[in-house]
Amino acid sequence: PLVRSKELPETLLNESLTYVIAHEIGHCLGLMHNMSASASYPVDSLRSASFTAKYGTTPSIMDYARFNYVAQPGDRGVKLTPPDLGVYDEFVINWLYRPVYGVSTIWEEAKVLETWVDEMVSDPMLRYGRQQIAGRYDPTALEEDLGDDAMLASSYGIKNLKRVMPEIMNWTYEPNEGYMKAVRLYQNVVGQFDLYMGHVATNVAGIYHNPISVEQTDMKAVEYVPKDIQKKAVDFLNKELFTTPTWLMDDKLSERTGINTFNSIYRVQSSTLKQLLSSRTLDKMTDNELVNGAKAYTANDLFRDLKKSIWSDMQGGKKPDASQRSLQKTYVNALIGMLDKPKNSSGSLGSLGGYSLVAFDFPSEAPTIARGQLTDLRRDLTNAANASSGIYRSHYLNLKALIDAAFDVK
């Protein structure tokens, strides 16, 4: 209720300013962004007044965990902002600046500092995760996310966005003014929804990165996200995104502001689907399968799960509406795009903290996988067109023609 006003309450504004200032001072003291910090909290702990009073939204103010989107209206007393100083911050500042007495050289001091780290190495709140710039591979080191389960945290976030949507016109009303504030608030709702979808999608072909020392023989520097979590992520996207989120559509809002809500939703759907159906994603899945065998979430698993929503019409579902048809065309074009420029996938998918994540010296399997999927899909589209009429038949025939052209079928 505190934030359901045209102006942010002064108490909350001051809390937010305190966080921003402390974050920037952290940089001045030599602290880098720590995007893994918030992933150490169980999601439901962020709904606890006692937990958040003590720990806030993250163990580090160097994380981007600016507000508690997990909290629900009935969670009385829950803190909505980061701590003044987190558990991680206190440890790092102590490690950097506390004088070490009783030593005569920097090497002796280094050994003492190493013992401090060794004593706390198992504490998840002290984990460090560098900000990912070139690409996002580790779902535990993301900006603006909360908690240890992106699907659960995002489901709470979506519940809150659904509470905002019907109030946009009321909360932004100003006498003798237009609807620009309503437009901006709607755009922010869609932008926040897009963030949640990105947090979830990064789990698919995701890679946990754990910088380790030679003493940490019980840990792996690189681990793929477990199969069940990747499947859970795709199932979540099927339900919340690829099945049209009609709650983001509001006829009155569109009539008064001119917002094209269909297009706003499609942009989120399209960008997420293109991320999933990319050479980079499929190559990571190929490597995962090589390393982990049946324990891996494979490209075949991904396509089988995506078809449950995007191609539900071919599995006994109703005919595709305009939104689903747009998604299907994006799906086909994404696969065709992998055929256009077959390339060696030599190199690496990126690095975190100086480590190469996954190095490939073999040709990319993405064109092969894409061609196989398109071949099967062309057959299904022919059958669907023969069983359809009107716009649906034209749609299926058009998609088949796109595949034929890509295959250069005469």
Side-chain angles (χ1 to χ4, degrees):
L2 284 176
V3 296
R4 297 177 186 176
S5 60
K6 295 181 177 65
E7 295 183 1
L8 201 63
E10 187 173 351
T11 54
L12 205 54
L13 176 62
N14 289 341
E15 283 185 34
S16 300
L17 286 174
T18 298
Y19 159 69
V20 172
I21 293 169
H23 177 98
E24 300 308 328
I25 290 175
H27 285 314
C28 294
L29 294 174
L31 275 63
M32 298 286 287
H33 287 142
N34 180 4
M35 297 307 176
S36 287
S38 57
S40 67
Y41 287 178
V43 169
D44 281 321
S45 293
L46 295 165
R47 300 186 60 187
S48 163
S50 59
F51 183 91
T52 55
K54 184 176 181 179
Y55 296 113
T57 56
T58 173
S60 176
I61 59 171
M62 304 313 295
D63 193 2
Y64 287 175
R66 305 172 208 263
F67 66 97
N68 189 351
Y69 59 78
V70 167
Q72 299 296 296
D75 301 337
R76 296 185 180 278
V78 169
K79 183 175 173 61
L80 301 177
T81 53
D84 292 341
L85 201 63
V87 174
Y88 169 89
D89 308 312
E90 292 176 355
F91 177 83
V92 172
I93 293 297
N94 182 66
W95 188 91
L96 283 169
Y97 292 104
R98 178 181 172 184
V100 178
Y101 299 106
V103 298
S104 55
T105 69
I106 58 171
W107 310 114
E108 291 177 359
E109 181 180 1
K111 287 186 178 298
V112 174
L113 295 177
E114 285 174 11
T115 64
W116 295 358
V117 172
D118 291 342
E119 290 169 359
M120 305 300 294
V121 71
S122 61
D123 188 340
M125 289 192 188
L126 300 184
R127 180 174 179 246
Y128 171 74
R130 173 177 275 184
Q131 185 174 15
Q132 303 173 85
I133 303 298
R136 277 124 180 97
Y137 308 101
D138 186 343
T140 67
L142 298 174
E143 301 90 338
E144 312 295 352
D145 65 331
L146 294 176
D148 61 353
D149 183 335
M151 285 63 78
L152 180 58
S154 296
S155 68
Y156 284 131
I158 290 171
K159 286 181 179 180
N160 284 326
L161 294 181
K162 287 180 177 179
R163 296 182 178 104
V164 174
M165 269 298 298
E167 302 295 340
I168 287 178
M169 299 292 284
N170 295 330
W171 291 350
T172 59
Y173 174 80
E174 292 281 1
N176 303 314
E177 294 288 341
Y179 291 97
M180 185 53 65
K181 290 181 180 178
V183 171
R184 288 174 181 166
L185 182 52
Y186 177 78
Q187 290 172 338
N188 286 337
V189 168
V190 175
Q192 193 66 27
F193 177 68
D194 189 20
L195 270 178
Y196 299 153
M197 298 305 102
H199 297 159
V200 171
T202 306
N203 283 275
V204 183
I207 301 171
Y208 299 140
H209 176 247
N210 305 301
I212 58 176
S213 66
V214 294
E215 289 80 15
Q216 293 173 279
T217 57
D218 59 336
M219 292 184 64
K220 297 179 181 179
V222 171
E223 294 180 276
Y224 275 97
V225 173
K227 181 176 183 176
D228 61 323
I229 295 179
Q230 294 195 49
K231 178 174 174 51
K232 183 179 176 183
V234 176
D235 289 345
F236 182 93
L237 293 171
N238 278 340
K239 177 185 175 184
E240 300 293 349
L241 179 62
F242 298 140
T243 300
T244 306
T246 54
W247 60 271
L248 280 169
M249 297 178 174
D250 185 306
D251 290 341
K252 183 178 179 181
L253 186 66
S254 296
E255 290 170 2
R256 301 292 177 86
T257 65
I259 290 174
N260 186 331
T261 55
F262 171 83
N263 194 55
S264 297
I265 293 168
Y266 173 71
R267 280 200 297 265
V268 181
Q269 292 176 322
S270 176
S271 64
T272 305
L273 185 58
K274 288 176 182 177
Q275 176 184 333
L276 297 177
L277 300 183
S278 66
S279 296
R280 199 167 264 191
T281 296
L282 297 187
D283 285 337
K284 285 190 289 180
M285 288 182 158
T286 299
D287 184 75
N288 187 11
E289 189 173 8
L290 285 171
V291 173
N292 295 306
K295 294 181 179 179
Y297 186 76
T298 66
N300 282 338
D301 293 328
L302 173 65
F303 286 111
R304 183 177 60 251
D305 288 339
L306 285 176
K307 287 176 181 177
K308 294 175 184 176
S309 62
I310 296 175
W311 300 99
S312 60
D313 50 312
M314 294 190 181
Q315 300 184 37
K318 62 182 181 180
K319 293 296 184 182
D321 60 14
S323 178
Q324 189 174 2
R325 294 197 299 272
S326 295
L327 263 181
Q328 290 177 346
K329 189 170 184 178
T330 300
Y331 184 106
V332 169
N333 282 329
L335 291 178
I336 290 173
M338 290 185 236
L339 301 177
D340 291 340
K341 299 176 182 178
K343 58 181 180 295
N344 190 310
S345 189
S346 175
S348 69
L349 294 175
S351 64
L352 286 172
Y355 289 90
S356 176
L357 283 179
V358 181
F360 296 127
D361 291 317
F362 52 83
S364 172
E365 293 272 23
T368 304
I369 295 169
R371 186 172 294 274
Q373 290 295 321
L374 288 169
T375 299
D376 292 344
L377 189 55
R378 181 172 59 173
R379 180 197 62 231
D380 294 339
L381 288 167
T382 299
N383 294 335
N386 291 336
S388 304
S389 60
I391 186 63
Y392 307 112
R393 175 178 170 80
S394 299
H395 168 68
Y396 294 136
L397 289 175
N398 181 56
L399 294 183
K400 179 181 178 297
L402 291 175
I403 298 173
D404 287 344
F407 287 177
D408 197 23
V409 175
K410 302 300 183 182

